[in-house]
Amino acid sequence: MKFDRLLSIVLLLQHRDLVPAKELAERLEVSQRTIYRDVEALSAAGVPVYAERGQDGGIGLLAGFRTDVTGLTTDEARALFVLASQSAHSALGLDHAHGSALRKVMAALPAPHRPAAELTSRRILIEPDRWHAAPRPETDLEALYAAVLSDRRLRVRYRHSGQTALRTYTVDPYGLVAKAGTWYLVADHKGKPRLLRTDRLSQVSLLEAEARRRPGAELTQVWHDLRRQVEDRSVGVRVAVRLRRERLDMVTRIAGGYFTGPPVPEAGTDEWLRVEVAYPVVEAVRHLLQFGTDVQVVGPPEARAEMTRAIAELANQYHAA
């Protein structure tokens, strides 16, 4: 709707001096010509909006102009009050600020939307942590949060997976990301993106130098690229697997992230399903041992050989004990 788009333009402009028309058009999924028509409509309605032509131009609001949230629709008001677990806000020291902000937004909502927003906050809760999550080392996320907001370089001591020694890095931070209950520091090291788990950081020091981020790079895009790299690296070997149909839910819950597609019925039987599983290295197929005889590795031969070695090692270990 045009009204929603006009309000979106005003809210976007409130946080920037000048925003290129092309950027507004891309974010709102309309043409640049439509954006300029919307600017004219806003100006005619008394909003102090202006456009500057040229390479460094854009669209802006006169300094000091602000609007409230009374233009929110019912669905937008509901969206604001879908509550995430307090664990993320608490870890950053923002739990009290989060609650206060929601109360202020509630007070600013149009009266007809308040019941829907309040009901949503009581009926929907998003909990990002997994069941039976392993205890993690204490991390001073409040200090790290303050550090990434400083726009200064950081010197960190970091332990890589599978290693005991700490390494020292000087990094240029983009920000923090919480994924499935785990916090990550997203930063550049020598101009290249790096992903550092915060529970492996033992020391973070704030340096005087300003962060040297790559031009145009933002947290969202850097995180997207890093996540894609991790996911691409995770497919080193594809393993064909049989699994008992009655154990499908359990296996999917624990190992479903490694499936390359949905399980399909095995020909000639109602008891078994077939699925392909992708691991970064063939040794990782041992991950399937936890399912006992409910999962069978069909191929390739090197994956079956790895499972045979693992079972023999376990047998020898318990026999010796």
Side-chain angles (χ1 to χ4, degrees):
M1 295 176 60
K2 183 176 181 179
F3 175 78
D4 293 338
R5 190 173 67 246
L6 294 177
L7 179 61
S8 296
I9 291 174
V10 173
L11 294 175
L12 288 169
L13 296 180
Q14 284 183 172
H15 302 288
R16 302 263 295 275
D17 292 334
L18 284 175
V19 181
K22 181 180 179 181
E23 180 179 336
L24 287 173
E26 290 175 350
R27 296 187 66 169
L28 299 177
E29 298 181 349
V30 296
S31 67
Q32 292 187 51
R33 179 174 296 180
T34 297
I35 292 296
Y36 284 118
R37 284 201 298 265
D38 288 345
V39 168
E40 292 176 359
L42 287 170
S43 180
V47 177
V49 62
Y50 64 93
E52 289 188 3
R53 305 286 181 175
Q55 183 176 355
D56 298 324
I59 298 169
L61 287 172
L62 291 183
F65 178 82
R66 288 291 182 270
T67 188
D68 56 28
V69 296
T70 55
L72 289 174
T73 66
T74 301
D75 284 344
E76 289 167 342
R78 286 194 180 116
L80 289 175
F81 285 84
V82 172
L83 295 183
S85 165
Q86 290 294 316
S87 60
H89 298 92
S90 297
L92 299 174
L94 297 175
D95 47 346
H96 295 300
H98 178 254
S100 176
L102 288 179
R103 287 191 294 271
K104 290 178 180 178
V105 172
M106 179 69 77
L109 284 176
H113 296 340
R114 291 175 192 169
E118 183 181 2
L119 182 61
T120 298
S121 69
R122 293 164 49 201
R123 295 291 185 264
I124 305 296
L125 175 66
I126 298 174
E127 173 57 67
D129 296 331
R130 294 180 177 178
W131 292 107
H132 308 298
R136 296 186 177 92
E138 291 293 329
T139 303
D140 191 355
L141 275 173
E142 288 190 50
L144 195 54
Y145 170 65
V148 298
L149 292 182
S150 69
D151 286 331
R152 287 155 62 184
R153 307 191 94 189
L154 303 177
R155 180 171 291 123
V156 302
R157 297 273 288 165
Y158 187 71
R159 180 185 62 80
H160 290 274
S161 176
Q163 299 181 10
T164 56
L166 294 171
R167 300 184 64 179
T168 301
Y169 296 103
T170 298
V171 299
D172 301 293
Y174 288 95
L176 294 167
V177 173
K179 180 174 176 59
T182 300
W183 284 91
Y184 296 88
L185 172 64
V186 177
D188 276 355
H189 176 245
K190 296 183 178 179
K192 295 183 178 180
R194 298 291 295 268
L195 195 59
L196 307 176
R197 281 182 59 139
T198 61
D199 55 6
R200 295 186 192 148
L201 291 169
S202 64
Q203 183 179 339
V204 178
S205 302
L206 195 61
L207 305 182
E208 292 297 327
E210 292 186 1
R212 304 171 187 173
R213 304 185 184 99
R214 283 166 285 135
E218 295 290 343
L219 173 62
T220 302
Q221 185 59 49
V222 177
W223 163 253
H224 177 269
D225 293 341
L226 286 167
R227 185 182 65 182
R228 186 173 56 191
Q229 290 176 19
V230 172
E231 292 171 347
D232 289 345
R233 285 200 306 267
S234 66
V235 184
V237 58
R238 296 179 182 270
V239 179
V241 167
R242 303 175 78 217
L243 63 93
R244 292 188 194 275
R245 185 185 294 273
E246 63 184 23
R247 299 299 184 189
L248 173 62
D249 289 343
M250 179 190 69
V251 176
T252 301
R253 175 167 48 84
I254 298 173
Y258 297 98
F259 291 0
T260 62
V264 297
E266 184 177 71
T269 176
D270 293 330
E271 181 182 3
W272 293 91
L273 301 170
R274 290 274 185 148
V275 68
E276 185 181 70
V277 183
Y279 287 114
V281 293
V282 69
E283 290 79 9
V285 76
R286 296 186 178 209
H287 172 249
L288 299 174
L289 285 171
Q290 64 185 301
F291 303 115
T293 58
D294 293 322
V295 168
Q296 298 176 10
V297 173
V298 178
E302 56 267 28
R304 290 177 58 84
E306 184 62 34
M307 291 292 278
T308 301
R309 281 193 295 271
I311 293 169
E313 290 171 9
L314 284 171
N316 290 335
Q317 185 180 46
Y318 282 101
H319 178 73

